[in-house]
């Protein structure tokens, strides 16, 4: 430009105008001078993630961002409302008003709010209402049900460090488990990548209800800005991420804990370098030194981990053992980032002070209630961990890890935590407000207060009562259960918080022995024990169980025991057993505080007694060779049938916990994944070795096979093999099956396969009718048995439902009968209606201890159709008949040969009792715990 062609005043004027413009820019009330020059990325680094205080208030006027137009307002009247306020202790008796997807009032509702022509009024009739359940650890949608290769998006195994992956990219909107989870009261869930990787990727919070858009994005609660959705909501949101340490990534990537620690440090160092480059850039820009050309330092690969370092991510870490927890705490302090929650966390209760040293905040601890010992790092897990952690000031979360546990029953985890002495308010909070707070959304979900999302559950009983069932679930103010199957009102006992047992001594010993307290009781061989303050006494008899003493007859009872057998039952008010002549010197007196004596239960369906740590091969009996799908070693004959009795292990922790839970007998088949399993065995869960008296109850019970569609051989091939052994080549134990001496137990879930098996049985019975022999057959597993209930009943086939509460885990099991509130009938009631001999099993070793609660749940879901005797038979005489236990065990008329479990404080099937001993007639001892 030629300066001589412009007037002399041009340059000074230009300078003046420029200075005036800069003064105007920097004097803006919204921008300081450095921020005005900095790019938007720098300004975003300073944005707060905490919602403005005005947001909760404005929501009561504007409604929820998730409000669905046309949703009518709802007034729920006459309820007992657990608001989640005051550390979970607040209970409001009154009404709750929902509108525009928001809770607008709790307790007293001004009439002006409800003067609406479209108002829906629900009379809760005194029922309990809780906030919607928040599952902090779920794989819903990425680990879909039924499990299919085409919908397995839980883990990537490309590398141990994958912070750039996002669970939302694999979320299946057609997972069959959404409906089930909602039926259990779950309204919000964090969908995590799996734990195969040290850093598995980013997680997302979703609401479980269906949306009109039918997309994964429409399910997201609080979408982070990084998701790239076209939204007018530009308020910064929390991001979420999954880390994992310990055995899983070590197994998947053949690494050690030292390798994992380095992988974490290397990844965080990469992120730190990006963060430091950004900070240096922004410092220059905010000092006015940015030239407007230099690019903001970014890395699409590491940006999520950079946000962790900036404290903008709610981090969930899968971490069990003290060694891993220590490494995690050191990592947080080295790189200075907070951890929101530690998951599975098996040994956290042993190192609470270590966790308080984590950088930035004390993490919440997300736990199972009793799912322990399937791998080494879970071996020291304790049912008392929630109580111990809360005593040490750490927030406790109960989680499902769905589908490891069916998230439909997440409240059951909270119930168990409370049973084992977690404060009731903290137990409710552990699945509502505490996970919501840990996930950064505690300002809108997890509580029932004005301005919060209209997510709530109306229960048929107190949520901590066993078998508590939703009668309706609201998400964003929308009812989720269409025509719910509502049970008859439950008794008053279920409408209050259960009065759980005293576990103080067990808690003390758990800490003293670092999670492995001795489990053997004190045996009184040949001694005398007098049980006082007894309400009921039951025993096995031919055809079921009989009652020897009843609370209905008035007063309390005494039961005198000697040499493992009952010698006296007498009313306390009439002088008790002393009046009956039973008052030997040195008698041990045990006060049952209103408890009962009842037959020991029988369990089946897991590998109890054949494994101690399921995922540690050296601690198990191992898998049997399957002649149908494998080459059998030459040292074995092709028709060899393995006997489980030869692989039994006694004194295992799961076995002894089952014993201390009222399960005195376990039936187990050889471990296998193929068609041929082998000969089952019944053994005493309280025996310490196989040579002890009564250790092996029955060495051979039934022959076990499996027919499933997910084996190497086709279903038709498996049926052909079965037909061959029954009709043409019955060798060894097969001759006993063909002769009607022992049952054939078939592990099967699919109704179509069951129909084929029933036809095969009919063909067999017809062929051998002249000899009067019929095939004794039992279906084990039997998820879809309800579809053939009438045919199974007519065929005289027994059924062992395992698991007792169904889940559509595979294609073979997808047609479940879910029970209330989704169906009036259950598999148990459907089968019993048609005269089927039904029993209830469990599928995991750890869960055998909970057999009595499974029976109780089945009885509660039966809506009055099961009396006490029928319920007891589901885990005693019915089980024995289905699995081939002889009459001498199943219904001996000799009291000396029986086992009675001693319950203190309540009955067999409630949360108010605990097992304090076993009267073992087989071994002639009384064992007190």
């Amino acid at each position: 430009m030629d300066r001589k062609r412009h007037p002399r005043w041009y340059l000074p004027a230009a300078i003046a105008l420029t200075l005036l413009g800069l003064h105007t820019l920097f004097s803006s009330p919204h921008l300081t001078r450095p921020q005005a020059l900095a790019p938007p990325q720098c300004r975003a680094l300073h944005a707060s993630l905490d919602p403005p205080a005005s947001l909760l208030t404005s929501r009561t006027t504007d409604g929820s961002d998730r409000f669905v137009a046309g949703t009518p307002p709802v007034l729920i009247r006459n309820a007992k409302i657990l608001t989640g306020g005051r550390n979970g202790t607040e209970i409001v008796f009154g009404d709750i008003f929902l509108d525009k997807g928001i809770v607008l009032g709790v307790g007293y509702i001004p009439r002006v709010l409800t003067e609406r022509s479209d108002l829906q009024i629900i009379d809760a009739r005194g029922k309990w209402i809780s906030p919607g359940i928040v599952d902090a650890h779920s794989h819903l949608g990425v680990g879909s049900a039924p499990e299919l290769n085409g919908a397995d998006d839980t883990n990537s195994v490309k590398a141990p460090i994958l912070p750039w992956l996002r669970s939302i990219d694999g979320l299946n909107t057609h997972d069959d488990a959404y409906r089930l989870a909602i039926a259990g009261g779950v309204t919000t869930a964090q969908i995590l990548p799996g734990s195969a990787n040290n850093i598995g990727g980013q997680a997302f919070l979703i609401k479980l209800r269906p949306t009109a858009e039918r997309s994964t994005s429409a399910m997201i609660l609080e979408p982070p800005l990084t998701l790239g959705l076209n939204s007018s909501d530009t308020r910064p949101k929390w991001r979420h991420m999954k880390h994992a340490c310990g055995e899983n990534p070590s197994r998947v990537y053949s690494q050690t804990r030292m390798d994992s620690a380095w992988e974490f440090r290397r990844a965080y160092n990469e992120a730190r370098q990006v963060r430091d480059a950004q900070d240096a850039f922004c410092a220059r820009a905010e000092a006015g030194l940015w030239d407007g050309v230099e690019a903001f330092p970014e890395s699409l690969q590491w940006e999520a981990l950079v946000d962790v370092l900036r404290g903008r991510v709610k981090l969930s870490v899968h971490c069990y053992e003290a060694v891993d927890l220590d490494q995690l705490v050191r990592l947080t302090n080295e790189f200075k980032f907070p951890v929101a929650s530690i998951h599975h966390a098996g040994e956290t209760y042993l190192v609470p002070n270590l966790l308080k040293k984590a950088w930035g905040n004390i993490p919440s601890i997300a736990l199972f209630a009793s799912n322990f010992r399937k791998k080494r790092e879970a071996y020291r897990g304790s049912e008392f961990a929630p109580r111990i952690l809360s005593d040490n000031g750490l927030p406790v979360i109960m989680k499902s890890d769905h589908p490891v546990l069916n998230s439909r029953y997440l409240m059951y985890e909270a119930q168990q935590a409370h049973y084992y002495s977690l404060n009731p308010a903290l137990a409710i909070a552990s699945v509502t407000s505490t996970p919501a707070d840990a996930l950064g959304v505690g300002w809108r979900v997890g509580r029932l207060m004005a301005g919060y999302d209209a997510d709530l559950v109306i229960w048929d009983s107190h949520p901590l009562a066993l078998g508590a069932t939703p009668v309706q679930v609201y998400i964003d103010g929308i009812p989720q259960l269409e025509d719910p199957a509502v049970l008859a009102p439950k008794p008053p006992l279920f409408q209050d918080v259960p009065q759980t047992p005293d576990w103080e001594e067990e808690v003390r010993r758990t800490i003293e022995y670092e999670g492995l307290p001795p489990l053997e009781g004190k045996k009184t061989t040949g001694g005398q024990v007098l049980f006082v303050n007894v309400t009921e006494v039951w025993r096995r008899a031919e055809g079921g169980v009989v009652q020897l003493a009843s609370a209905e007859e008035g007063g309390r009872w005494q039961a005198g025991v000697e040499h493992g057998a009952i010698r006296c039952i007498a009313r306390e008010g009439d002088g008790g057993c002393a009046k009956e002549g039973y008052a030997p010197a040195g008698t041990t007196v045990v006060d049952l505080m209103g408890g009962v004596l009842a037959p020991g239960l029988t369990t089946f369906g897991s590998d109890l007694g054949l494994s101690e740590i399921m995922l540690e091969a050296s601690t198990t009996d191992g898998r049997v060779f399957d002649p149908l799908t494998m080459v059998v070693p030459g040292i074995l004959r092709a028709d060899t049938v393995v006997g489980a009795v030869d692989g039994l292990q006694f004194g295992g922790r799961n076995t002894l916990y089952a014993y201390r839970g009222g399960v005195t007998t376990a039936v187990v088949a050889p471990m296998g994944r193929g068609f041929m399993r082998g000969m089952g065995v019944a053994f005493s869960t309280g025996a310490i070795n196989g040579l002890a008296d009564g250790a092996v109850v029955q060495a051979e019970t039934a022959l076990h096979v499996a027919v499933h569609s997910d084996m190497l051989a086709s279903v038709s091939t498996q049926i052909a093999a079965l037909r061959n052994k029954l009709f043409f080549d019955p060798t060894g134990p097969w001759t006993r099956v063909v002769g009607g001496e022992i049952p054939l137990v078939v592990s099967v879930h699919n109704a179509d396969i069951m129909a084929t098996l029933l036809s095969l049985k009919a063909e067999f019975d017809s062929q051998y009718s002249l000899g009067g022999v019929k095939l004794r057959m039992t279906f084990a597993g039997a998820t879809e048995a309800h579809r053939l209930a009438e045919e199974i009943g007519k065929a005289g086939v027994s059924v062992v439902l395992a698991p007792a509460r169904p889940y559509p885990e595979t294609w073979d099991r997808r047609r479940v009968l879910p029970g209330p509130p989704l169906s009036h009938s259950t598999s148990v009631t459907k089968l019993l209606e048609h005269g089927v001999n039904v029993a209830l099993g469990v599928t995991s070793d750890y869960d055998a201890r909970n057999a009595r609660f499974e029976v109780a749940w089945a009885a509660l879901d039966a809506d009055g159709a099961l009396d006490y005797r029928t319920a007891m038979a589901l885990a005693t005489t019915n089980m024995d008949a289905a699995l081939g236990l002889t009459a001498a065990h199943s219904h001996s008329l000799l009291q000396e040969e029986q086992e009675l479990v001693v319950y203190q404080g309540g009955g067999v099937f409630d949360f108010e009792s605990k097992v304090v001993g076993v009267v073992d007639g087989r071994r002639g001892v009384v064992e007190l715990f």
Side-chain angles (χ1 to χ4, degrees):
M1 183 180 296
D2 186 356
R3 295 173 61 185
K4 294 181 180 179
R5 299 181 61 183
H6 294 280
R8 293 180 181 178
W9 51 263
Y10 178 87
L11 184 59
I15 293 173
L17 287 172
T18 301
L19 291 174
L20 177 62
L22 291 174
H23 172 76
T24 302
L25 176 63
F26 293 139
S27 63
S28 167
H30 303 291
L31 294 173
T32 65
R33 182 173 185 233
Q35 289 175 325
L37 290 177
Q41 294 96 323
C42 292
R43 295 196 295 274
L45 299 182
H46 305 290
S48 172
L49 292 174
D50 294 325
S54 60
L55 183 57
L56 205 60
T57 302
S58 67
R59 281 161 59 89
T60 60
T61 303
D62 302 335
S64 169
D65 53 330
R66 297 185 55 80
F67 173 60
V68 176
T71 303
V74 177
L75 177 64
I76 304 173
R77 305 186 62 185
N78 304 319
K80 297 189 287 283
I81 306 165
L82 297 159
T83 70
R86 299 181 181 179
N87 296 323
T89 62
E90 184 178 74
I91 301 173
V92 173
F93 298 87
D95 306 342
I96 184 167
F97 181 52
L98 316 176
D99 192 17
K100 296 182 179 179
I102 297 293
V103 176
L104 290 184
V106 176
Y108 167 73
I109 309 299
R111 185 171 180 178
V112 65
L113 290 179
T114 61
E115 291 178 338
R116 297 273 300 274
S117 60
D118 57 345
L119 179 69
Q120 292 187 351
I121 300 177
I122 309 295
D123 189 347
R125 299 181 183 277
K127 292 184 175 65
W128 289 94
I129 295 181
S130 78
I133 293 175
V134 179
D135 191 349
H137 188 133
S138 177
H139 303 291
L140 267 167
V142 294
S144 297
E147 180 182 285
L148 295 167
N149 292 335
D152 183 7
D153 290 291
T154 308
N155 283 297
S156 169
V157 291
K158 298 294 185 182
I161 302 295
L162 299 168
W164 43 86
L165 301 186
R166 305 182 302 185
S167 67
I168 195 66
D169 296 324
L171 190 70
N172 177 6
T173 57
H174 303 294
D175 189 338
D176 284 357
Y178 288 127
R179 175 171 171 261
L180 299 176
I182 291 171
V186 180
T187 57
T188 302
Q190 177 176 217
I191 309 305
L192 291 159
S195 53
N197 314 95
N198 295 122
I199 301 180
Q202 299 163 55
F204 288 82
L205 309 186
I206 65 169
K207 290 286 191 81
L208 270 57
R209 68 170 174 83
T211 66
E213 186 178 299
R214 297 190 178 94
S215 70
T216 55
S217 295
M219 301 175 73
I220 301 174
L221 176 69
E222 297 281 292
L225 298 180
T226 54
L227 194 57
L229 292 176
N230 183 16
S231 172
S232 60
D233 184 0
T234 59
R235 178 175 56 84
K237 319 290 198 314
W238 285 106
R239 303 177 72 178
H240 302 82
M241 188 179 289
K242 171 74 174 291
H243 287 6
C245 48
E247 295 183 13
N248 286 15
S250 292
R251 181 185 72 253
V252 173
Y253 294 102
S254 301
Q255 62 187 23
T256 67
R257 282 177 164 81
M258 294 181 289
D259 294 312
S260 289
W262 169 245
E263 291 290 351
F264 278 124
R265 295 182 69 223
R266 180 177 62 82
Y268 272 103
N269 191 55
E270 291 280 353
R272 180 167 59 184
Q273 292 178 28
V274 176
R275 182 204 61 187
D276 290 350
Q278 292 175 351
D279 289 348
F281 171 87
C282 290
R284 293 195 305 274
E286 291 168 356
L289 301 177
W290 181 44
D291 59 8
V293 176
E294 180 186 358
F296 178 78
E298 291 184 287
S299 169
L300 185 61
Q301 190 173 22
W302 296 107
E303 56 89 20
L305 211 57
V306 172
D307 265 1
V308 174
L309 293 177
R310 295 194 181 281
R312 305 172 73 81
V313 176
K314 292 296 186 181
L315 193 61
S316 299
V317 183
H318 163 125
C319 207
Y320 278 88
E321 292 189 87
V323 59
D324 300 314
L325 296 166
D326 190 83
Q327 183 265 324
L328 173 64
V329 169
R330 284 186 281 108
L331 186 72
T332 70
N333 284 285
E334 179 181 1
F335 292 95
K336 294 182 172 49
F337 64 89
V339 171
S341 53
I342 301 173
H343 295 234
H344 302 310
E347 294 187 12
T348 50
Y349 71 97
L350 297 175
V351 290
N353 291 327
L354 167 67
L355 304 178
K356 295 176 183 179
K357 296 178 182 179
W359 191 88
N361 60 256
I362 296 176
S364 295
I365 310 301
L367 302 162
F368 290 128
S370 57
N371 183 2
F372 314 127
R373 289 175 289 280
K374 68 178 178 182
K375 52 184 178 178
R376 189 194 72 93
E377 64 186 9
Y379 195 62
R380 292 178 186 267
S382 172
E383 63 273 33
F384 302 111
R387 151 72 187 280
I388 296 169
L389 287 164
S390 67
D391 284 350
N392 282 275
L394 280 88
V396 172
I397 295 170
M398 306 310 296
K399 51 93 172 96
S400 72
D401 195 12
H402 179 97
V404 173
L405 297 181
N406 181 357
S407 62
R408 178 182 180 183
Y409 302 111
L410 181 51
M411 185 57 81
Y412 180 45
E413 294 296 288
Q415 292 168 2
Q416 291 179 76
H418 173 243
Y419 175 68
Y420 290 113
S421 73
L422 180 64
N423 175 277
L426 295 181
I428 296 291
S430 74
V431 291
T432 54
S433 56
T434 306
D437 291 343
L439 295 171
V441 291
W443 66 274
R444 66 177 295 175
V445 299
R447 294 175 175 83
L448 290 176
M449 300 177 181
Y452 276 70
D453 287 15
D455 301 344
L456 59 84
V457 186
I458 307 175
W459 300 89
D460 70 349
S461 50
H462 192 282
L464 293 179
L466 183 62
T469 301
V471 300
Q472 188 53 269
V473 178
Y474 285 84
I475 303 179
D476 299 323
I478 305 171
Q480 299 298 304
L481 303 178
E482 184 177 353
D483 190 24
V486 179
L487 300 171
K490 290 180 178 175
L493 175 66
F494 291 88
Q495 303 305 327
D496 292 317
V497 179
Q499 300 301 305
T500 55
D502 180 355
W503 298 102
E504 294 306 312
E505 177 61 17
E506 288 85 350
V507 170
R508 185 193 66 78
R509 286 166 61 83
T510 295
I511 298 172
E512 177 187 356
Y513 288 94
E514 297 190 3
L516 301 178
L519 297 178
E520 294 181 48
K522 180 181 178 182
K523 298 180 178 64
T524 59
T525 305
Q528 295 80 32
V529 179
L530 179 66
F531 297 105
V532 301
N533 204 0
V534 180
T535 56
E536 296 178 351
V537 180
W538 296 79
R539 55 159 294 205
R540 291 172 183 255
E542 188 169 1
V545 295
V546 297
Q547 194 170 34
L548 304 181
S550 169
E552 296 178 359
E553 296 179 17
R556 296 293 174 93
W557 298 79
Q558 293 183 357
V561 175
E562 187 173 11
H563 295 290
I566 293 180
R567 302 301 183 192
C568 164
I569 298 176
R571 287 190 180 89
E572 287 190 341
D574 296 336
C577 284
K579 187 175 181 180
E580 299 292 328
Y582 180 86
T587 298
T588 300
V589 179
V590 179
D591 185 353
L592 294 195
M593 304 177 187
V596 305
L597 278 74
L601 306 181
T602 302
T603 187
F604 172 77
S606 71
D607 295 314
L608 194 70
L610 295 179
S611 69
E612 177 69 352
I613 306 175
M614 176 55 65
L615 297 182
E616 291 283 352
S618 64
T619 73
T620 75
D621 181 48
R623 306 289 177 182
V624 299
F625 285 94
D626 177 29
L628 187 60
T629 59
M630 304 169 68
V631 176
V632 179
I635 196 171
L636 295 176
R637 291 175 44 181
D639 60 353
T640 296
V641 174
V642 174
V645 65
D646 298 322
L648 283 178
Q649 304 173 20
F650 290 86
R653 299 196 71 80
N654 283 321
T655 307
L656 291 178
Y657 274 120
Y659 185 61
R660 294 172 74 102
V663 176
T664 58
T665 302
V667 179
V668 66
M671 298 167 62
R673 292 195 177 99
F675 165 76
M676 190 67 217
R677 301 293 166 87
M679 183 64 71
V681 62
F683 67 96
S684 170
T685 56
I688 299 304
N689 66 71
L691 299 180
D693 289 343
V696 177
V697 176
Q698 190 172 319
E700 295 182 337
T701 54
L703 187 61
H704 293 255
V705 299
V707 182
H708 298 302
S709 61
D710 58 352
M711 295 185 189
L712 294 177
S714 68
V715 171
S716 51
T717 301
Q718 296 169 59
I719 296 295
L722 188 56
R723 177 178 281 108
N724 180 61
K725 298 306 292 184
L726 291 174
F727 289 95
F728 308 112
D729 186 27
T731 58
W734 286 96
T735 61
R736 299 175 65 191
V737 172
V738 171
E741 182 182 347
I742 60 174
L744 177 67
V745 178
V746 185
S747 175
V748 58
H749 287 282
N750 180 270
D752 300 304
I753 300 175
M754 291 183 207
T756 301
L757 291 168
L758 291 176
S759 296
L760 185 66
K761 181 184 185 312
E763 180 184 347
F764 179 96
D765 293 349
S766 175
Q767 180 167 325
Y768 290 93
S769 60
L770 293 178
V773 176
K774 289 190 175 182
L775 182 63
R776 296 170 60 188
M777 181 177 283
T778 295
F779 294 155
T783 299
E784 296 187 354
H786 62 92
R787 298 175 66 86
L788 293 168
E790 183 178 358
E791 292 81 359
I792 292 171
K794 290 179 179 178
V797 171
S798 293
V799 171
V800 181
L801 296 169
R805 289 168 284 132
Y807 177 72
E809 181 177 354
T810 63
W811 190 257
D812 272 3
R813 313 179 198 189
R814 70 190 187 281
R815 297 172 293 191
V816 301
L817 187 60
L822 297 177
S823 67
H824 288 277
S825 296
T826 66
S827 291
V828 172
T829 57
K830 196 82 169 176
L831 291 165
L832 287 175
E833 285 173 9
H834 293 281
V836 179
N837 179 63
V838 186
L840 298 180
V842 300
T843 56
S844 297
D845 299 353
Y846 81 88
D847 209 22
R849 70 187 299 182
N850 296 321
R852 66 188 182 111
F853 299 140
E854 293 293 350
V855 174
W857 205 310
L860 291 166
D861 277 354
D863 206 12
L866 269 67
D867 60 19
Y868 191 92
R869 288 179 175 81
T870 305
M872 180 70 76
L874 296 176
T876 55
T877 51
N878 286 12
M879 183 78 81
D880 298 345
L883 299 177
L885 273 71
T886 60
H889 173 78
S890 182
H891 46 75
S892 170
L893 299 182
L894 299 175
Q895 292 186 25
E896 290 81 358
E897 296 179 4
Q898 298 217 0
E899 289 176 313
L900 295 178
V901 176
V902 184
Y903 297 89
Q904 186 181 66
V908 178
F909 302 129
D910 63 62
F911 269 151
E912 301 197 342
S913 68
K914 67 187 281 191
V915 175
V916 296
V918 174
V919 177
D920 191 339
R922 290 195 301 234
R923 293 183 289 162
V925 302
V926 175
E927 188 167 357
L928 299 176
F929 306 131

